């Protein structure tokens, strides 16, 4: 039962994606458990809907009241430990205490110094409180937030489209388009929900991308466009440069003196072995530009470096139903040494989705 309700809370929490960050995605479900074999009754469901808005527990309480239910004596399932501090909203723990709930089950302890402690507050008020990691989904929806708080880094999602034989471009660098139209529409939706969309200089030179979210019904946030450009080679006649007045654009470079394009923000980053120190660049993007998550549409060299630096939190691979069969076509990642299988980077497979003849594969670190 606990898993069922925590899963439900997590699915509610996921609805806030793109609207609540840098706050965590949180969902909550209020249940009155049936007695003597009677059926459970769901009194209310809520999620954190927008940054600065009501937290999930208060949304669920309001939902229950709106449904005409008294929540006294009920059990609350939420994905994150209820907060106990006054931020943009009053503490959720207090609301749960005032509402007279009997039990609170949450999936993950709050790592943030300012807001943790809800567990103790609830217990002190006589509410049975426990942390239960039985739902993988409920635990994992807080991953980006916890990563940001603990590591001081944005959550990195890399995305690429490849053929069955793992090629992302022809030998001449042509990659538009490997995946189908529906997959590409999905990429635009992904762009519309993140703080930043990044590419390496190789992709800027080969594809001259815009990196905007087009054809999306509701753009939840306007992503900052980021270019990782070690040597300051960013072309002034690129689409990114020409549209910099309309869309926020940041160049991460160790040679800021080489870049002077109106409307572009230049972030000076250190270099390591002749390449941008990507960890330092990501940290600066978080600290200086408030980036809590970034979608990197990586070419092979950038992907190789991100793998080497262990910087990939999530990977989305659009597998197209084609084979190039050409030795000189570009592999999805290059520049690494992998002479033994120990050096191979492994991921956990999450969601798999068929989209026409393409397959979308979601991986986690
Ligand atoms: N199928 C797909 O999904 C997909 C997606 C993206 C790209 N592509 C294709 O990939 C090709 C481009 O790939 P690419 O490997 O040439 O370029 P890339 O990976 O997009 O960018 C590599 C460049 O980024 C810069 N960079 C900055 N810091 C770096 C670091 N720490 N490590 C590595 N690079 C760093 C370097 O340029 P500087 O030295 O100038 O800084 C480097 O040459 C194109 O053909 C494009 O069409 C395909």
């Amino acid at each position: 039962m606990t898993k069922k309700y925590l899963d439900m809370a997590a699915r509610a929490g996921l609805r806030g994606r793109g609207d609540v960050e840098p706050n965590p995605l949180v969902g909550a479900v209020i249940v009155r458990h049936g007695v003597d074999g009677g059926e459970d009754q769901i009194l209310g469901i809520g999620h954190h809907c927008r940054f600065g808005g009501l937290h999930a527990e208060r949304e669920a309480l309001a939902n229950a009241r709106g449904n005409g239910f008294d929540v006294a004596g009920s059990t609350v399932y939420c994905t994150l430990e209820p907060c106990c501090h006054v931020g943009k909203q009053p503490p959720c723990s207090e609301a749960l205490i005032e509402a007279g709930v009997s039990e609170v089950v949450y999936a993950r302890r709050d790592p943030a110094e300012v807001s943790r402690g809800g567990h103790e507050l609830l217990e002190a008020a006589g509410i049975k409180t426990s942390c239960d990691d039985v739902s993988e989904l409920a635990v994992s929806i807080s991953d980006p937030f916890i990563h940001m708080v603990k590591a001081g880094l944005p959550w990195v999602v890399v995305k690429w489209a490849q053929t069955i034989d793992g090629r992302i471009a022809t030998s001449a660098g042509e990659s538009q388009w490997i995946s189908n139209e529906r997959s590409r529409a999905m990429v635009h939706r992904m762009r519309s929900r993140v703080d930043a969309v990044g590419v390496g200089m190789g992709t800027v030179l080969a594809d001259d991308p815009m990196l905007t979210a087009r054809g999306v019904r509701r753009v939840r946030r306007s992503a900052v466009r980021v270019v990782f450009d070690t040597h300051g080679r960013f072309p002034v006649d690129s689409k990114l440069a020409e549209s910099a007045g309309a869309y926020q654009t940041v160049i991460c470079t160790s040679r800021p003196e080489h870049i002077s394009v109106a409307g572009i923000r230049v972030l000076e980053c250190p270099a390591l072995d002749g390449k941008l120190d990507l960890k330092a660049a990501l940290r600066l993007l978080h600290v200086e530009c408030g980036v809590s998550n970034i979608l990197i549409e990586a070419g092979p060299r950038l992907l190789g470096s991100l793998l080497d630096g262990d910087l990939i939190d999530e990977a989305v691979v659009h597998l197209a139903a084609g084979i190039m069969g050409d030795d000189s076509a570009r592999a999805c990642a290059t520049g690494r040494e992998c002479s033994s299988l120990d050096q191979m980077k492994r991921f956990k497979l999450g969601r798999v989705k068929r989209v026409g003849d393409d397959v979308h594969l979601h991986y986690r670190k």
Side-chain angles (χ1 to χ4, degrees):
M1 276 307 150
T2 300
K3 180 176 176 331
K4 173 178 153 185
Y5 294 125
L6 284 174
D7 278 348
M8 197 181 283
R11 283 195 296 275
L14 283 171
R15 289 191 211 122
R17 208 166 26 185
D19 287 320
V20 305
E21 295 88 351
N23 281 352
L25 297 172
V26 187
V29 177
I30 305 177
V31 181
R32 179 167 317 283
H33 287 295
V35 281
D36 298 333
E39 281 198 5
D40 288 355
Q41 188 178 22
I42 293 170
L43 308 183
I45 302 184
H47 69 283
H48 186 31
C49 304
R50 60 176 179 84
F51 180 73
L54 281 186
H55 289 182
E57 297 87 332
R58 284 180 182 272
E59 285 280 359
L61 287 171
N63 180 245
R65 285 180 191 127
N67 292 336
F69 293 123
D70 176 5
V71 301
S74 63
T75 301
V76 180
Y77 294 88
C78 41
T79 57
L80 195 64
E81 178 185 1
C83 69
C84 73
H85 81 302
V86 180
K88 288 192 167 53
Q89 293 292 334
C92 296
S93 315
E94 270 178 20
L96 296 173
I97 294 167
E98 276 164 25
V101 306
S102 294
E103 186 173 354
V104 173
V105 182
Y106 65 89
R108 197 111 182 231
R109 200 102 214 224
D110 190 336
E113 208 60 55
V114 290
S115 49
R116 67 179 314 172
H119 183 122
E120 289 74 13
L121 203 69
L122 291 164
E123 277 203 327
I127 297 174
K128 187 177 169 201
T129 307
S130 57
C131 178
D132 193 325
D133 63 3
V134 67
S135 158
E136 208 178 311
L137 187 63
V139 171
S140 68
I141 72 162
S142 305
D143 280 347
F145 173 72
I146 288 175
H147 174 71
M148 183 186 75
V149 171
K150 286 195 168 165
L153 289 168
W155 183 256
V156 175
V157 181
V158 292
K159 176 266 148 194
W160 69 91
Q162 68 168 54
T163 59
I164 296 169
D165 54 340
R167 304 295 169 165
I168 59 92
T170 65
S171 55
E174 188 186 346
S175 66
Q176 294 171 335
W177 299 108
I178 287 176
S179 54
N180 67 27
E181 213 169 302
R182 283 171 61 198
S183 295
R184 279 158 18 225
M186 175 65 79
V187 177
H188 284 274
R189 286 202 289 282
M190 289 168 77
R191 287 177 182 172
S192 75
R193 294 196 287 243
V194 290
D195 287 344
V197 177
V199 284
M201 260 310 289
T203 299
V204 173
L205 297 173
D207 299 344
D208 195 14
M210 273 292 278
L211 303 181
T212 50
R214 301 184 293 282
V216 178
R217 217 175 325 134
R218 184 163 84 84
V219 175
R220 297 184 178 209
R221 52 186 59 205
S222 187
V224 179
R225 306 177 305 173
V226 176
V227 178
F228 298 100
D229 172 15
T230 317
H231 306 291
R233 295 189 294 143
F234 182 71
V236 291
D237 57 351
S238 60
K239 285 188 192 149
L240 286 167
E242 282 161 7
S243 57
Y247 304 98
Q248 271 194 77
T249 311
V250 174
I251 311 288
C252 294
T253 183
S254 62
R255 306 299 299 269
E257 69 281 10
H258 287 194
I259 296 167
S260 67
V261 181
I264 284 193
R265 180 160 181 200
V266 179
L267 218 52
E268 183 170 2
C269 305
L272 261 182
D273 302 327
K275 289 187 282 192
L276 218 55
D277 177 344
L278 294 174
K279 191 170 186 175
L282 288 166
R283 183 157 284 136
L284 277 169
L285 282 167
H286 174 56
V287 174
E288 299 289 328
C289 309
V291 171
S292 68
N293 54 45
I294 181 167
L295 171 68
I296 302 188
E297 299 185 19
R301 280 179 286 179
L302 191 58
L303 185 59
S305 291
L306 288 165
L307 282 168
D308 257 348
D310 224 359
L311 292 168
I312 299 172
D313 300 302
E314 211 174 311
V316 179
V317 183
H318 289 180
L319 183 65
I323 296 178
M324 289 195 190
D326 177 348
D327 287 346
S328 22
R330 315 285 305 271
C332 68
T334 55
R336 300 192 63 241
E337 205 183 295
C338 189
S339 49
S340 85
L341 285 179
D342 300 345
Q343 292 164 292
M344 181 166 89
K345 296 283 179 187
R346 290 188 187 268
F347 293 87
K348 285 189 218 134
L349 178 64
R351 206 151 51 89
V352 176
K353 189 177 176 200
R354 179 179 177 159
V355 178
D357 284 335
D358 287 0
V359 180
H360 295 181
L361 302 162
H362 293 249
Y363 296 95
R364 278 286 183 108
K365 194 184 239 178

